[in-house]
Amino acid sequence: MAAADSAPPTTFNALIRGVLGRCPRCGQGPLLHRYLKIVGECSSCGEPYGHFRADDAPPWLTILIVGHLIAPFFLLIEENFELTTATELAILLPLIIGLTLAVLPRCKGAILAVMWVTKAEGTEPG
Ligand SMILES: [Zn+2]
């Protein structure tokens, strides 16, 4: 509770806490549970998060990031190796799927942190 009673975090700190999956306000309690489900409220400071609706923003940001990470690798493979399509798929698909699964909760935490900082909480009741 001590962190919650102090001054609010800077936007950057709240964003980093969100990316790490922590409460943007106190940085202690988890922001997500069961992979992508938003907690109702922070277990540490009690900040309510259950009414936030990130909608399609986290997948959009994930596609943007993963696409930019994979595209150079894909071009490198295409230009330097003569692999069959099946071999390319065997290399790229696990990489794409793994990166997507790793990046998506980080993006959701970041979007939720931005929503919390800007007080863009959505219109649905908690
Ligand atoms: Zn908290």
Side-chain angles (χ1 to χ4, degrees), residues 23 25-26 29 42 44-45:
C23 167
R25 182 179 182 205
C26 69
C42 176
S44 181
C45 70

PDB file of all heavy atoms in Angstrom, residues 23 25-26 29 42 44-45, ligand 1:
ATOM      1  N   CYS A  23       0.936  -3.906 -12.332  1.00  0.00           N
ATOM      2  CA  CYS A  23       0.002  -2.793 -12.152  1.00  0.00           C
ATOM      3  C   CYS A  23       0.718  -1.480 -12.506  1.00  0.00           C
ATOM      4  O   CYS A  23       1.782  -1.194 -11.949  1.00  0.00           O
ATOM      5  CB  CYS A  23      -0.461  -2.779 -10.700  1.00  0.00           C
ATOM      6  SG  CYS A  23      -1.327  -1.294 -10.200  1.00  0.00           S
ATOM      7  N   ARG A  25      -0.011   1.451 -11.658  1.00  0.00           N
ATOM      8  CA  ARG A  25      -0.024   2.389 -10.542  1.00  0.00           C
ATOM      9  C   ARG A  25       1.067   2.082  -9.517  1.00  0.00           C
ATOM     10  O   ARG A  25       1.840   2.942  -9.145  1.00  0.00           O
ATOM     11  CB  ARG A  25      -1.391   2.378  -9.859  1.00  0.00           C
ATOM     12  CG  ARG A  25      -1.508   3.358  -8.734  1.00  0.00           C
ATOM     13  CD  ARG A  25      -2.885   3.320  -8.128  1.00  0.00           C
ATOM     14  NE  ARG A  25      -3.026   4.303  -7.066  1.00  0.00           N
ATOM     15  CZ  ARG A  25      -3.894   4.195  -6.085  1.00  0.00           C
ATOM     16  NH1 ARG A  25      -4.728   3.169  -6.046  1.00  0.00           N
ATOM     17  NH2 ARG A  25      -3.950   5.117  -5.158  1.00  0.00           N
ATOM     18  N   CYS A  26       1.120   0.827  -9.044  1.00  0.00           N
ATOM     19  CA  CYS A  26       2.056   0.503  -7.969  1.00  0.00           C
ATOM     20  C   CYS A  26       3.224  -0.363  -8.438  1.00  0.00           C
ATOM     21  O   CYS A  26       4.246  -0.428  -7.762  1.00  0.00           O
ATOM     22  CB  CYS A  26       1.332  -0.186  -6.816  1.00  0.00           C
ATOM     23  SG  CYS A  26       0.754  -1.852  -7.195  1.00  0.00           S
ATOM     24  N   GLY A  29       1.339  -5.604  -8.052  1.00  0.00           N
ATOM     25  CA  GLY A  29       0.372  -6.654  -8.388  1.00  0.00           C
ATOM     26  C   GLY A  29       0.372  -6.968  -9.873  1.00  0.00           C
ATOM     27  O   GLY A  29       0.724  -6.128 -10.699  1.00  0.00           O
ATOM     28  N   CYS A  42      -6.081  -4.472  -8.761  1.00  0.00           N
ATOM     29  CA  CYS A  42      -4.719  -4.813  -8.351  1.00  0.00           C
ATOM     30  C   CYS A  42      -4.755  -5.460  -6.970  1.00  0.00           C
ATOM     31  O   CYS A  42      -5.406  -4.954  -6.057  1.00  0.00           O
ATOM     32  CB  CYS A  42      -3.857  -3.552  -8.330  1.00  0.00           C
ATOM     33  SG  CYS A  42      -2.192  -3.850  -7.723  1.00  0.00           S
ATOM     34  N   SER A  44      -2.389  -5.600  -4.965  1.00  0.00           N
ATOM     35  CA  SER A  44      -1.512  -4.875  -4.050  1.00  0.00           C
ATOM     36  C   SER A  44      -2.101  -3.525  -3.632  1.00  0.00           C
ATOM     37  O   SER A  44      -2.175  -3.216  -2.451  1.00  0.00           O
ATOM     38  CB  SER A  44      -0.150  -4.659  -4.712  1.00  0.00           C
ATOM     39  OG  SER A  44       0.711  -3.976  -3.843  1.00  0.00           O
ATOM     40  N   CYS A  45      -2.526  -2.712  -4.603  1.00  0.00           N
ATOM     41  CA  CYS A  45      -3.010  -1.363  -4.274  1.00  0.00           C
ATOM     42  C   CYS A  45      -4.518  -1.202  -4.433  1.00  0.00           C
ATOM     43  O   CYS A  45      -5.076  -0.187  -4.027  1.00  0.00           O
ATOM     44  CB  CYS A  45      -2.285  -0.318  -5.124  1.00  0.00           C
ATOM     45  SG  CYS A  45      -2.724  -0.351  -6.871  1.00  0.00           S
TER      46      CYS A  45
HETATM   47 ZN    ZN B   1      -1.356  -1.821  -7.951  1.00  0.00          ZN
END
